[in-house]
Structure formats: structure tokens, C-alpha cells
């Protein structure tokens, strides 16, 4: 009788363990699917950067027709865009290499934390260091060098400043989207 009781207990424990194992597998798979969806948000920021650079390089030849900007300014802008594209690729490369369905969660957490830190550093340090001198130079090129006689050059800076504000808002939106996706992935890992 006692042996039958222990056999029943063993069977119940085995069934319970099997249910827990299945639940853990489903939970792990669900977390990884959520992380995979968040990775798409991170990749969308990189794709927007690529599209912007391609559009800019398509527009550069138009400068020879309009001569709005000096060739020096155009060349420096091209170099700045190439630098930004290379930096974006460098920051995103470890995230791109992750297979979120198979990579261990500790590695995912480490890569996402590094990505988030690099993206925040880029926003707070590199972006102002590049954009403030560039926008100042653009205002000089467009407003002061090309301003018609008798017109206030400050009016000519408005399109550049408004365009810079719109571009900055779009860039900040995508920055927040990528950083928030990385934070969500880290949060998912911490909750597991």
C-alpha cells in the first residue's frame, strides 16, 4: 500500500515537472519573440539613416546646377554623412549579429546595454559636436554668401533652422525608439 502511494507520488511529481518544463519553454519562447520584435525597432533606425544618406548623395549633384553651397561645404557634408553611416553600422553590428532565438540571455543583455550606452553617448556628445558647427556653416553659406542686396540674411537662415529642427525631431524620435526597444529587451531579460 505504501509502495503504491509512493509510485503515485512519483507519477504526480513527474507530471508536474513535465508541465513546469513546458511552461518554461513557452515562457522563454514568448520572451524571445518579444525581443525579436523589439530588434526590428532598433533596425528601423539604422534603415532610416541609410535612406537619408542615399537621398543626400542623390541631391549632391544638384549643387552643381544651383551652386547654393560651396564645394568645400558639400565635400565636408559628404564626409560627415559617411562618418555617421560608419558609426551607425559600428554601433548596430553587435545587435545585428545576435540571434535572439538561440543566444543566451546574458549575452543579449550585455550587447543591448552596450548598444544603449553608445546610442546615448552619440546623442549627447557626438551629435552636438557635429551639428552645431555644420548648421552654423550652412547658415553662413546659404544666408550670408547668397543673400540678395538689401535683404536681411537672418531671413535666409530660417529655412535651415526650421529644416534642422524638423530633422532633429525626426532623429530624436528614432533615437528614442531604438533606446526604448533596447530598454524593453533588458527589462524582459530582468523579469525572467
Amino acid at each position: 500500500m505504501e509502495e503504491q502511494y509512493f509510485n503515485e507520488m512519483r507519477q504526480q511529481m513527474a507530471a508536474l515537472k513535465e508541465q513546469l518544463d513546458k511552461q518554461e519553454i513557452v515562457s522563454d519562447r514568448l520572451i524571445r519573440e518579444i525581443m525579436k520584435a523589439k530588434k526590428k525597432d532598433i533596425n528601423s533606425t539604422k534603415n532610416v539613416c541609410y535612406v537619408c544618406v542615399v537621398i543626400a548623395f542623390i541631391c549632391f549633384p544638384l549643387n552643381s546646377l544651383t551652386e547654393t553651397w560651396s564645394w568645400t561645404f558639400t565635400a565636408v557634408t559628404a564626409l560627415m554623412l559617411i562618418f555617421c553611416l560608419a558609426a551607425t553600422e559600428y554601433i548596430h553590428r553587435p545587435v545585428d549579429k545576435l540571434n535572439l532565438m538561440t543566444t543566451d540571455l546574458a549575452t543579449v543583455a550585455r550587447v543591448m546595454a552596450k548598444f544603449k550606452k553608445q546610442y546615448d553617448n552619440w546623442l549627447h556628445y557626438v551629435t552636438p559636436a557635429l551639428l552645431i558647427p555644420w548648421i552654423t556653416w550652412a547658415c553662413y553659406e546659404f544666408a550670408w554668401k547668397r543673400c540678395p542686396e538689401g535683404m536681411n540674411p537672418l531671413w535666409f537662415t530660417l529655412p535651415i533652422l526650421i529644416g534642422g529642427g524638423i530633422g532633429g525631431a525626426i532623429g530624436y524620435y528614432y533615437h528614442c525608439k531604438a533606446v526604448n526597444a533596447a530598454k524593453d529587451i533588458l527589462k524582459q531579460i530582468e523579469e525572467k
Side-chain angles (χ1 to χ4, degrees):
M1 180 102 166
E2 208 172 283
E3 191 174 317
Q4 184 181 2
Y5 175 74
F6 282 125
N7 283 339
E8 280 182 33
M9 288 288 286
R10 281 190 204 119
Q11 288 173 354
Q12 288 175 358
M13 289 295 285
L16 184 60
K17 185 179 182 317
E18 188 178 320
Q19 277 185 324
L20 287 174
D21 287 345
K22 284 181 184 176
Q23 187 176 0
E24 190 173 307
I25 289 170
V26 169
S27 174
D28 185 63
R29 181 128 178 103
L30 182 62
I31 287 171
R32 289 179 183 277
E33 288 293 337
I34 291 169
M35 291 189 313
K36 196 173 172 185
K38 294 296 179 182
K39 185 178 174 186
K40 288 180 183 175
D41 286 346
I42 291 172
N43 286 338
S44 72
T45 62
K46 180 177 70 170
N47 296 337
V48 166
C49 179
Y50 291 152
V51 168
C52 290
V53 169
V54 168
I55 290 170
F57 275 100
I58 289 171
C59 291
F60 281 155
L62 295 176
N63 186 52
S64 62
L65 299 174
T66 62
E67 295 181 2
T68 303
W69 316 101
S70 69
W71 282 105
T72 309
F73 180 78
T74 305
V76 169
T77 301
L79 290 174
M80 187 175 81
L81 288 171
I82 291 168
F83 170 74
C84 291
L85 192 66
T88 300
E89 183 62 33
Y90 173 77
I91 292 171
H92 279 265
R93 181 165 289 149
V95 175
D96 291 341
K97 287 183 179 180
L98 286 177
N99 181 345
L100 294 176
M101 300 309 283
T102 58
T103 306
D104 65 286
L105 295 179
T107 302
V108 174
R110 183 179 41 77
V111 168
M112 287 300 160
K114 183 178 178 186
F115 170 82
K116 182 187 163 307
K117 182 180 180 193
Q118 287 177 326
Y119 239 60
D120 281 338
N121 285 343
W122 183 268
L123 176 71
H124 296 111
Y125 303 113
V126 180
T127 300
L130 289 175
L131 286 184
I132 291 171
W134 184 82
I135 288 176
T136 304
W137 190 7
C139 287
Y140 170 74
E141 286 279 331
F142 188 69
W144 272 267
K145 284 176 75 175
R146 308 277 184 244
C147 185
E149 190 77 31
M151 204 161 187
N152 187 347
L154 291 176
W155 286 106
F156 274 62
T157 63
L158 285 178
I160 293 169
L161 297 177
I162 291 170
I166 292 170
I170 293 169
Y172 187 70
Y173 166 78
Y174 278 100
H175 167 83
C176 289
K177 186 176 179 180
V179 168
N180 288 338
K183 282 181 186 176
D184 288 345
I185 290 172
L186 289 168
K187 186 179 175 186
Q188 288 291 328
I189 292 169
E190 286 172 12
E191 289 176 358
K192 187 176 191 275

